[in-house]
Amino acid sequence: MAKIGFIGTGIMGLPMAQNLQKAGHNIFLSEHHEKAPAALIEGGAVALANPKEVAQEAEFIIIMVPDTPQVEDVLFRENGVAEGVGQNKIVIDMSSISPTATKQFAEKINATGAQYLDAPVSGGEVGAKAGSLSIMVGGSEESFARALPLFEAMGKNITRVGGNGDGQTAKVANQIIVALNIQAVAEALLFAAKNGADPAKVREALMGGFAGSKILEVHGERMIKGTFDPGFRISLHQKDLNLALAGARELGLNLPNTANAQQVFSTCASIGGSGWDHSALIKGLEHMSNFSIRNK
């Protein structure tokens, strides 16, 4: 069994670390930001003072934090991961961050003799708890092969996309598709309800046809019931779409529908919804329409 450092035990990270623990791996945690979760300590995890100590103890160091600046801080702060790694160590960033920054981080970590993988995930809190995440990996074939048993403890659909940065690029593409599908479902249900149809029955009818999707199944139900406790917060999806739009500017691309979805998320944020689940995008559309599918 592997010795694994795990830094970032929030909504996603905690169940991911628990699944590694259940698979028999030894977990090391950093308390530089906050106390280690009791659930992991009770399962045998070891709490250390900072990321450097975690990197010194572990063969694999997994990072699961909200955004690019937090990854940079964990890696390169005083007593950061970079000070504790070297030959035969693998740093795995499973956060969703900038592909451009990822390539820069990988170059610095690889220069220490360690290997770097970017391995962002899709599947939300539900997938993290079930160990069914989709994992998109960028890095060498050798390091991917070594890390594969860890990925298999956390996910089901595991793909090495290419070199460093390609995993993050795939995740940004994923977030574009998810956002636009959420908006499509929200607009369809809003149209149906405003036209007098029962949105729950419309969703049921559409599930069996070509419009059927995981978004319609899971998030469509959330929209109808109005259950918007976060599995994946709007603020985080806004962050990912910012990465998409910034990358598009660098590449000279126009992503008009992505930009539009971001505007609707911004409407949600303006009415206090930054912490809502991203399925609550419908509330932004409802606000603009002065009509709710749940209060006809």
Side-chain angles (χ1 to χ4, degrees), residues 99-100 103 169 172 176 243-255:
T100 301
K103 293 175 185 179
T169 296
V172 173
I176 292 171
L243 293 175
L245 294 169
R249 285 192 295 272
E250 291 174 6
L251 297 168
L253 295 176
N254 184 21
L255 303 179

Side-chain angles (χ1 to χ4, degrees), residues 126-147:
V126 172
K129 288 180 175 179
S132 61
L133 294 167
S134 291
I135 306 176
M136 298 149 264
V137 187
S140 72
E141 292 185 6
E142 176 193 356
S143 54
F144 174 72
R146 282 181 58 194

Side-chain angles (χ1 to χ4, degrees), residues 158-179:
I158 303 158
T159 306
R160 178 181 173 266
V161 181
N164 285 135
D166 290 345
Q168 295 293 354
T169 296
K171 178 57 188 291
V172 173
N174 178 86
Q175 295 303 80
I176 292 171
I177 292 171
V178 170

Side-chain angles (χ1 to χ4, degrees), residues 67-193:
D67 204 350
T68 306
Q70 287 80 30
V71 174
E72 183 174 23
D73 179 67
V74 166
L75 289 173
F76 304 116
R77 65 183 288 136
E78 183 179 0
N79 292 318
V81 167
E83 294 182 14
V85 293
Q87 294 292 332
N88 299 319
K89 308 252 183 182
I90 298 180
V91 176
I92 307 171
D93 177 28
M94 304 190 77
S95 319
S96 296
I97 69 167
S98 162
T100 301
T102 291
K103 293 175 185 179
Q104 297 167 353
F105 298 164
E107 185 176 355
K108 292 179 182 179
I109 293 297
N110 292 339
T112 70
Q115 299 179 68
Y116 193 95
L117 294 173
D118 48 289
V121 303
S122 179
E125 183 183 9
V126 172
K129 288 180 175 179
S132 61
L133 294 167
S134 291
I135 306 176
M136 298 149 264
V137 187
S140 72
E141 292 185 6
E142 176 193 356
S143 54
F144 174 72
R146 282 181 58 194
L148 186 57
L150 278 61
F151 294 143
E152 289 174 338
M154 297 180 283
K156 298 299 183 188
N157 181 31
I158 303 158
T159 306
R160 178 181 173 266
V161 181
N164 285 135
D166 290 345
Q168 295 293 354
T169 296
K171 178 57 188 291
V172 173
N174 178 86
Q175 295 303 80
I176 292 171
I177 292 171
V178 170
L180 299 192
N181 272 275
I182 290 174
Q183 183 160 334
V185 169
E187 290 188 5
L189 295 180
L190 187 64
F191 169 80

